[in-house]
Amino acid sequence: MRPQVLVARAVFDEVLERLATHFEVDANPDDRILTPTELRDRLRGKAGAFITGSERIDAALLDANPQLRAVCNMAVGYKNIDLDACTERGVLASNTPDVLTETTADFGFALMMAAARRIAEGEHFLRAGRWTKWSYDMFAGAEVHGATLGILGMGRIGQAIARRGALGFGMRVIYHNRSRLDAAVEARVDARWVDKATLLAESDHLVIVVPYSPASHHLVGAAELALMKPSATLTNIARGGVVDDAALATALRERRLAAAGLDVFEGEPKVHPDLLTVPNVVLTPHIASASVATRRAMALLAADNLIAALGFGPDAGRPPTPLNPQVLQPAARGT
Ligand code: 8YV
């Protein structure tokens, strides 16, 4: 009998078809998010799962499903997966890096520009029928070209944003990351490492791209916001929880920060009520990777991870983007 897999959310038909060439597929075409109990029960008898950031994989779920061998996330972030619990139980976990880097960087840049140039505020004003005349200072925002772009977290997406800023907009790019980039990479992206306090104090536009972990929880809270220029903008395309949303809403309301662009939120899809009422913030529903081509590439990569992790396809035993490759058998890893 062919192995069974769960596809926890609705996804492109092409992905289901690819999985169906190897597995019995239990799909979720209605796209209703399964409760933790439903997810645990639906995984009974399944060898693998295609999941998204909405499905939580933890020790209790794995213990209830000892037959599970692979959980493949359609996301680069994996805040939803207890990776240690997977590794301890020999369950392969994977994510979808690289394929979304440029698309997510495009979106981060767009959100930063929208905040700086007050695009959403202007649009709401126009739609509300309040545009009756031109004024010299109407929605006058902050300059983007030539300004200082600060990047918090300098992985693949951070570097792609840095390149856009330096090469396309003549920005001075500074960054803070726990580990400094190699000099050659720094030169390529034209960015200079600074400590966190300097980053906050000098950025005209701060873009946050640091992955979520307990260590990055509220990395930017009231104390950090207080270091920023009142004329600055903050953009978060990382994960909810990296920024203290309540503190951010207060800073925006009190104009201690000019504007913000947010694609991710603490407790999303709920959004802090104060963020919904301050005008100087652009809010989007976690869509930074959402171009059709990129979402398709992410889904196919997650499927290919699942197929290979369960020992099928051209890369049998060698999933392309594993998070814990140490659980693979040495022979299967080709070492
Ligand atoms: C995903 C993301 O679409 O890849 C990530 O980490 O945040 C998004 O691109 C989202 O997490 C759904 O899985």
Side-chain angles (χ1 to χ4, degrees), residues 122 124-135 138-139:
H124 293 149
F125 174 86
L126 183 153
R127 282 184 189 271
R130 293 168 58 199
W131 185 26
T132 54
K133 63 179 189 322
W134 178 92
S135 316
M138 188 168 71
F139 295 112

mmCIF file of all heavy atoms in Angstrom, residues 122 124-135 138-139:
data_model
loop_
_atom_site.group_PDB
_atom_site.id
_atom_site.type_symbol
_atom_site.label_atom_id
_atom_site.label_comp_id
_atom_site.label_asym_id
_atom_site.label_seq_id
_atom_site.Cartn_x
_atom_site.Cartn_y
_atom_site.Cartn_z
ATOM 1 N N GLY A 122 -2.997 58.338 2.141
ATOM 2 C CA GLY A 122 -3.523 59.151 1.040
ATOM 3 C C GLY A 122 -4.685 58.458 0.355
ATOM 4 O O GLY A 122 -5.700 59.088 0.003
ATOM 5 N N HIS A 124 -6.804 56.206 1.646
ATOM 6 C CA HIS A 124 -8.001 56.227 2.506
ATOM 7 C C HIS A 124 -8.682 57.592 2.455
ATOM 8 O O HIS A 124 -9.905 57.697 2.393
ATOM 9 C CB HIS A 124 -7.625 55.899 3.959
ATOM 10 C CG HIS A 124 -7.166 54.487 4.127
ATOM 11 N ND1 HIS A 124 -6.238 54.104 5.064
ATOM 12 C CD2 HIS A 124 -7.488 53.360 3.456
ATOM 13 C CE1 HIS A 124 -6.018 52.802 4.963
ATOM 14 N NE2 HIS A 124 -6.757 52.340 3.991
ATOM 15 N N PHE A 125 -7.881 58.644 2.452
ATOM 16 C CA PHE A 125 -8.373 60.023 2.407
ATOM 17 C C PHE A 125 -9.161 60.250 1.111
ATOM 18 O O PHE A 125 -10.274 60.779 1.103
ATOM 19 C CB PHE A 125 -7.140 60.929 2.504
ATOM 20 C CG PHE A 125 -7.360 62.388 2.345
ATOM 21 C CD1 PHE A 125 -7.713 63.174 3.434
ATOM 22 C CD2 PHE A 125 -7.149 63.005 1.117
ATOM 23 C CE1 PHE A 125 -7.871 64.547 3.290
ATOM 24 C CE2 PHE A 125 -7.306 64.368 0.960
ATOM 25 C CZ PHE A 125 -7.669 65.146 2.057
ATOM 26 N N LEU A 126 -8.564 59.793 0.004
ATOM 27 C CA LEU A 126 -9.213 59.971 -1.308
ATOM 28 C C LEU A 126 -10.527 59.195 -1.382
ATOM 29 O O LEU A 126 -11.571 59.730 -1.778
ATOM 30 C CB LEU A 126 -8.242 59.526 -2.396
ATOM 31 C CG LEU A 126 -8.661 59.674 -3.846
ATOM 32 C CD1 LEU A 126 -7.422 59.818 -4.730
ATOM 33 C CD2 LEU A 126 -9.471 58.471 -4.337
ATOM 34 N N ARG A 127 -10.479 57.915 -0.975
ATOM 35 C CA ARG A 127 -11.695 57.079 -1.039
ATOM 36 C C ARG A 127 -12.803 57.630 -0.142
ATOM 37 O O ARG A 127 -13.976 57.432 -0.429
ATOM 38 C CB ARG A 127 -11.382 55.650 -0.588
ATOM 39 C CG ARG A 127 -10.687 54.810 -1.618
ATOM 40 C CD ARG A 127 -10.540 53.397 -1.059
ATOM 41 N NE ARG A 127 -9.693 52.579 -1.890
ATOM 42 C CZ ARG A 127 -10.131 51.838 -2.917
ATOM 43 N NH1 ARG A 127 -11.408 51.841 -3.233
ATOM 44 N NH2 ARG A 127 -9.292 51.109 -3.619
ATOM 45 N N ALA A 128 -12.411 58.297 0.928
ATOM 46 C CA ALA A 128 -13.414 58.848 1.845
ATOM 47 C C ALA A 128 -14.022 60.145 1.299
ATOM 48 O O ALA A 128 -14.854 60.774 1.957
ATOM 49 C CB ALA A 128 -12.788 59.092 3.216
ATOM 50 N N GLY A 129 -13.585 60.543 0.102
ATOM 51 C CA GLY A 129 -14.155 61.741 -0.522
ATOM 52 C C GLY A 129 -13.680 63.040 0.118
ATOM 53 O O GLY A 129 -14.324 64.082 -0.005
ATOM 54 N N ARG A 130 -12.509 62.950 0.776
ATOM 55 C CA ARG A 130 -12.050 64.145 1.502
ATOM 56 C C ARG A 130 -11.074 64.990 0.693
ATOM 57 O O ARG A 130 -10.591 66.020 1.158
ATOM 58 C CB ARG A 130 -11.412 63.706 2.824
ATOM 59 C CG ARG A 130 -12.439 63.101 3.778
ATOM 60 C CD ARG A 130 -11.800 62.391 4.955
ATOM 61 N NE ARG A 130 -10.934 63.270 5.726
ATOM 62 C CZ ARG A 130 -9.991 62.843 6.559
ATOM 63 N NH1 ARG A 130 -9.789 61.547 6.710
ATOM 64 N NH2 ARG A 130 -9.248 63.693 7.219
ATOM 65 N N TRP A 131 -10.771 64.581 -0.547
ATOM 66 C CA TRP A 131 -9.785 65.312 -1.367
ATOM 67 C C TRP A 131 -10.495 66.432 -2.117
ATOM 68 O O TRP A 131 -11.160 66.203 -3.117
ATOM 69 C CB TRP A 131 -9.128 64.337 -2.352
ATOM 70 C CG TRP A 131 -8.025 64.950 -3.156
ATOM 71 C CD1 TRP A 131 -7.247 66.007 -2.830
ATOM 72 C CD2 TRP A 131 -7.589 64.510 -4.445
ATOM 73 N NE1 TRP A 131 -6.339 66.259 -3.812
ATOM 74 C CE2 TRP A 131 -6.529 65.352 -4.816
ATOM 75 C CE3 TRP A 131 -7.982 63.487 -5.296
ATOM 76 C CZ2 TRP A 131 -5.859 65.202 -6.033
ATOM 77 C CZ3 TRP A 131 -7.313 63.323 -6.507
ATOM 78 C CH2 TRP A 131 -6.266 64.180 -6.868
ATOM 79 N N THR A 132 -10.361 67.638 -1.618
ATOM 80 C CA THR A 132 -11.049 68.775 -2.240
ATOM 81 C C THR A 132 -10.090 69.774 -2.844
ATOM 82 O O THR A 132 -10.472 70.599 -3.658
ATOM 83 C CB THR A 132 -11.906 69.518 -1.187
ATOM 84 O OG1 THR A 132 -11.059 69.858 -0.093
ATOM 85 C CG2 THR A 132 -13.066 68.641 -0.702
ATOM 86 N N LYS A 133 -8.815 69.724 -2.422
ATOM 87 C CA LYS A 133 -7.852 70.687 -2.963
ATOM 88 C C LYS A 133 -6.418 70.187 -2.762
ATOM 89 O O LYS A 133 -6.182 69.314 -1.930
ATOM 90 C CB LYS A 133 -8.031 72.044 -2.280
ATOM 91 C CG LYS A 133 -7.749 72.046 -0.771
ATOM 92 C CD LYS A 133 -7.931 73.442 -0.205
ATOM 93 C CE LYS A 133 -7.492 73.643 1.220
ATOM 94 N NZ LYS A 133 -7.700 72.632 2.200
ATOM 95 N N TRP A 134 -5.500 70.754 -3.536
ATOM 96 C CA TRP A 134 -4.073 70.467 -3.360
ATOM 97 C C TRP A 134 -3.550 71.326 -2.210
ATOM 98 O O TRP A 134 -3.993 72.466 -2.043
ATOM 99 C CB TRP A 134 -3.335 70.824 -4.648
ATOM 100 C CG TRP A 134 -1.846 70.627 -4.592
ATOM 101 C CD1 TRP A 134 -1.160 69.515 -4.943
ATOM 102 C CD2 TRP A 134 -0.870 71.574 -4.133
ATOM 103 N NE1 TRP A 134 0.179 69.696 -4.737
ATOM 104 C CE2 TRP A 134 0.396 70.958 -4.238
ATOM 105 C CE3 TRP A 134 -0.930 72.885 -3.641
ATOM 106 C CZ2 TRP A 134 1.591 71.596 -3.887
ATOM 107 C CZ3 TRP A 134 0.254 73.520 -3.281
ATOM 108 C CH2 TRP A 134 1.501 72.879 -3.400
ATOM 109 N N SER A 135 -2.668 70.822 -1.400
ATOM 110 C CA SER A 135 -2.024 71.646 -0.370
ATOM 111 C C SER A 135 -0.532 71.357 -0.355
ATOM 112 O O SER A 135 -0.124 70.223 -0.618
ATOM 113 C CB SER A 135 -2.555 71.322 1.027
ATOM 114 O OG SER A 135 -3.932 71.188 1.031
ATOM 115 N N MET A 138 0.275 68.365 1.888
ATOM 116 C CA MET A 138 -0.669 67.247 1.985
ATOM 117 C C MET A 138 0.076 65.903 1.847
ATOM 118 O O MET A 138 0.701 65.634 0.832
ATOM 119 C CB MET A 138 -1.752 67.360 0.910
ATOM 120 C CG MET A 138 -2.845 66.328 1.094
ATOM 121 S SD MET A 138 -4.286 66.671 0.058
ATOM 122 C CE MET A 138 -3.660 66.291 -1.551
ATOM 123 N N PHE A 139 0.004 65.084 2.868
ATOM 124 C CA PHE A 139 0.657 63.777 2.909
ATOM 125 C C PHE A 139 2.145 63.850 2.541
ATOM 126 O O PHE A 139 2.676 62.944 1.912
ATOM 127 C CB PHE A 139 -0.088 62.750 2.051
ATOM 128 C CG PHE A 139 -1.459 62.487 2.603
ATOM 129 C CD1 PHE A 139 -2.592 62.892 1.908
ATOM 130 C CD2 PHE A 139 -1.623 61.904 3.837
ATOM 131 C CE1 PHE A 139 -3.853 62.700 2.440
ATOM 132 C CE2 PHE A 139 -2.880 61.708 4.383
ATOM 133 C CZ PHE A 139 -4.002 62.099 3.688
#
